[in-house]
């Protein structure tokens, strides 16, 4: 069984073909980072325009890499799926229209997929031993969420960010320090050169709640940076190290409190921030210490990609949880997590 997936929720145009929920035949990602970098963030109108320019090329490349073209499409692709939310309305619309068109032309079922569910199951792409129940930790540019995955399509939302998403905080701190966009990778790199103990930034743990608040750490960086010389590279490196340490400790503390409280045995990370080297190391170390299984995607599957969307479609297909041809699919920019 082959699934074609299309993902255009934010600033990556991506298409993928997977076989039997196991084999990734292609995973094409066209990133728009150079377009948005000069604005220090994603500009929605520019994102949709770039998706319009890229979407056909990306789909054709994904098919080609899977040895499929439009002449043999009907015999090779069994299902089409696309992200329908949450995300930017104009961006989502481009992927949805492409998916709808192919679904009509080739008379294939079209399965709408929630972007967050994609991140939640992204570790399963490379490690099929990931099975519910587990704690999902989604940390990206738009989300910071702790979710108990009781089963496929059965979720308990524990908490999310009250202000900035985790990746957003990295991006805003980078802007404060005059670093490039996106901030996560560069802060991660410079933090390696700094002393994480030099500056003790706040760790907002919000005890008694599973929510996060990263804007406090960001404001602490802003206030600190006004008092020091941020043209001094050593100062920048120490700020990056202190900030990264505070974020990583907050995430690890909350996640391991949750697995303990709900007697879970596995944690799966997902989202762009799970590329962070300290976050990966700390989750690995704490898992070992606490006898918890930890699942982390390779960097290419941490950031937005269509393969994670295809994985969720596969679970929906084998659990018979989709409509045959769903021509009612429209963008749902604020889509929440729904059980199925
Ligand atoms: O999942 P993603 O590609 O897009 C969203 O769905 O938001 O995540 C992008 C976010 C950006 O905020 C970026 O700064 C962050 O992931 N990021 C990182 C790292 N690599 C990417 N944050 C911290 N450390 C990294 N190494
Ligand atoms: Zn994402």
């Amino acid at each position: 069984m082959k699934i074609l997936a299309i993902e255009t929720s934010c600033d990556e145009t991506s298409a993928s073909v997977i076989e039997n929920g196991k084999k990734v035949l292609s995973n094409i990602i066209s990133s728009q980072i150079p377009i948005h970098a000069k604005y220090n963030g994603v500009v929605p109108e520019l994102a949709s325009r770039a998706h319009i320019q890229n979407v056909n090329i990306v789909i054709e490349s994904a098919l080609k890499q899977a040895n499929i073209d439009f002449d043999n499409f009907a015999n090779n692709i069994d299902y089409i799926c696309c992200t329908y939310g949450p995300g930017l309305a104009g961006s989502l619309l481009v992927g949805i229209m492409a998916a709808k068109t192919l679904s009509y032309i080739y008379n294939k079922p079209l399965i709408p997929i929630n972007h967050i569910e994609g991140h939640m199951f992204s570790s399963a792409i490379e490690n099929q031993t990931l099975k519910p129940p587990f704690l999902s930790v989604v940390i990206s540019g738009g989300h910071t969420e702790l979710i108990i995955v009781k089963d496929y399509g059965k979720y308990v939302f524990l908490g999310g960010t009250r202000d900035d998403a985790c990746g957003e905080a990295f991006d805003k701190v980078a802007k404060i320090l005059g670093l490039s966009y996106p901030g996560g990778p560069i802060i991660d790199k410079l933090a390696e050169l700094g002393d994480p103990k030099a500056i003790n930034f706040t760790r907002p743990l919000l005890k008694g709640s599973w929510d996060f608040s990263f804007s406090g750490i960001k404001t602490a960086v802003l206030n600190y940076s006004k008092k020091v010389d941020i043209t001094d590279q050593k100062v920048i490196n120490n700020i990056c190290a202190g900030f990264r340490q505070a974020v990583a400790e907050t995430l690890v503390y909350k996640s391991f409190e949750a697995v303990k409280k709900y007697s879970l045995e596995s944690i799966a990370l997902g989202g762009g921030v799970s590329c962070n080297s300290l976050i990966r190391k700390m989750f690995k170390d704490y898992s070992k210490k606490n006898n918890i299984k930890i699942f982390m995607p390779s960097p290419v599957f941490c950031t937005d990609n269509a393969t994670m969307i295809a994985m969720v479609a596969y679970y929906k297909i084998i659990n018979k949880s989709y409509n045959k041809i769903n021509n009612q699919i429209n963008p749902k920019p604020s889509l929440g997590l729904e059980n199925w």
Side-chain angles (χ1 to χ4, degrees):
M1 179 225 293
K2 290 191 189 123
I3 305 171
L4 167 69
I6 301 168
E7 150 68 44
T8 60
S9 64
C10 190
D11 60 338
E12 264 99 22
T13 318
S14 180
S16 158
V17 179
I18 69 163
E19 189 171 13
N20 297 329
K22 289 186 175 67
K23 204 165 163 198
V24 180
L25 301 182
S26 58
N27 180 54
I28 307 294
I29 304 171
S30 167
S31 167
Q32 301 176 8
I33 285 176
I35 296 173
H36 304 289
K38 56 177 177 280
Y39 304 101
N40 279 299
V42 177
V43 182
E45 176 63 17
L46 296 183
S48 356
R49 288 185 204 178
H51 284 306
I52 292 167
Q53 282 185 333
N54 295 335
V55 75
N56 287 353
I57 302 166
V58 167
I59 293 170
E60 275 191 65
S61 313
L63 291 172
K64 194 170 168 201
Q65 214 175 83
N67 278 323
I68 301 167
D69 58 31
F70 288 118
D71 293 331
N72 64 15
F73 188 101
N75 293 333
N76 277 286
I77 295 292
D78 302 289
Y79 298 88
I80 300 167
C81 64
C82 64
T83 307
Y84 77 116
L88 303 169
S91 293
L92 289 163
L93 190 59
V94 178
I96 292 172
M97 291 314 291
K100 269 187 181 175
T101 307
L102 291 170
S103 163
Y104 276 126
I105 294 174
Y106 296 104
N107 194 28
K108 299 289 173 185
L110 175 57
I111 308 171
I113 302 293
N114 184 317
H115 180 79
I116 299 304
E117 279 185 86
H119 281 307
M120 287 159 60
F121 286 99
S122 55
S123 295
I125 299 169
E126 298 159 293
N127 190 341
Q128 301 272 324
T129 64
L130 174 66
K131 298 222 158 59
F134 61 88
L135 178 78
S136 165
V137 183
V138 177
I139 39 178
S140 72
H143 297 270
T144 314
E145 272 147 37
L146 287 186
I147 299 146
I148 301 175
V149 178
K150 292 179 116 179
D151 201 347
Y152 298 104
K154 302 284 172 283
Y155 312 124
V156 178
F157 179 85
L158 290 182
T161 182
R162 293 197 185 167
D163 36 62
D164 291 343
C166 192
E168 190 183 352
F170 272 95
D171 297 337
K172 287 180 174 169
V173 164
K175 190 176 174 195
I176 292 168
L177 301 177
L179 303 172
S180 57
Y181 172 86
I186 180 81
I187 289 180
D188 199 11
K189 201 167 132 200
L190 297 179
E192 290 294 318
L193 310 171
D195 174 5
K197 295 204 180 93
I199 314 151
N200 188 24
F201 290 120
T202 172
R203 277 104 168 118
L205 295 175
L206 306 181
K207 293 217 172 170
S209 157
W210 297 112
D211 283 347
F212 293 93
S213 167
F214 289 107
S215 81
I217 313 182
K218 176 199 67 188
T219 307
V221 172
L222 178 66
N223 293 340
Y224 183 85
S225 69
K226 284 181 184 156
K227 291 186 256 162
V228 291
D229 175 13
I230 55 165
T231 60
D232 181 339
Q233 192 59 47
K234 207 172 154 215
V235 171
I236 294 266
N237 296 348
N238 284 344
I239 295 176
C240 289
F243 169 73
R244 183 179 70 161
Q245 191 71 31
V247 172
E249 281 181 21
T250 307
L251 289 169
V252 165
Y253 174 83
K254 288 246 163 187
S255 304
F256 283 85
E257 282 292 297
V259 286
K260 200 160 77 189
K261 162 101 178 142
Y262 296 100
S263 307
L264 296 163
E265 290 172 2
S266 308
I267 300 179
L269 300 187
V273 184
S274 37
C275 290
N276 188 276
S277 51
L278 180 69
I279 292 172
R280 290 177 90 87
K281 185 181 178 313
M282 283 182 69
F283 268 93
K284 237 184 242 168
D285 292 349
Y286 274 71
S287 296
K288 206 168 165 193
K289 230 187 269 167
N290 293 283
N291 208 15
I292 297 290
K293 284 193 214 108
I294 181 79
F295 296 83
M296 294 183 266
S298 300
V300 67
F301 297 122
C302 287
T303 49
D304 291 348
N305 67 89
T307 303
M308 66 184 193
I309 302 304
M311 283 305 292
V312 179
Y314 174 74
Y315 298 135
K316 286 196 156 188
I317 294 162
I318 57 173
N319 286 290
K320 302 200 173 9
S321 189
Y322 68 93
N323 296 327
K324 267 245 171 306
I325 289 196
N326 197 336
N327 58 10
Q328 300 300 321
I329 302 170
N330 288 309
K332 292 253 175 81
S334 316
L335 180 67
L337 204 56
E338 288 168 347
N339 285 343
W340 41 269

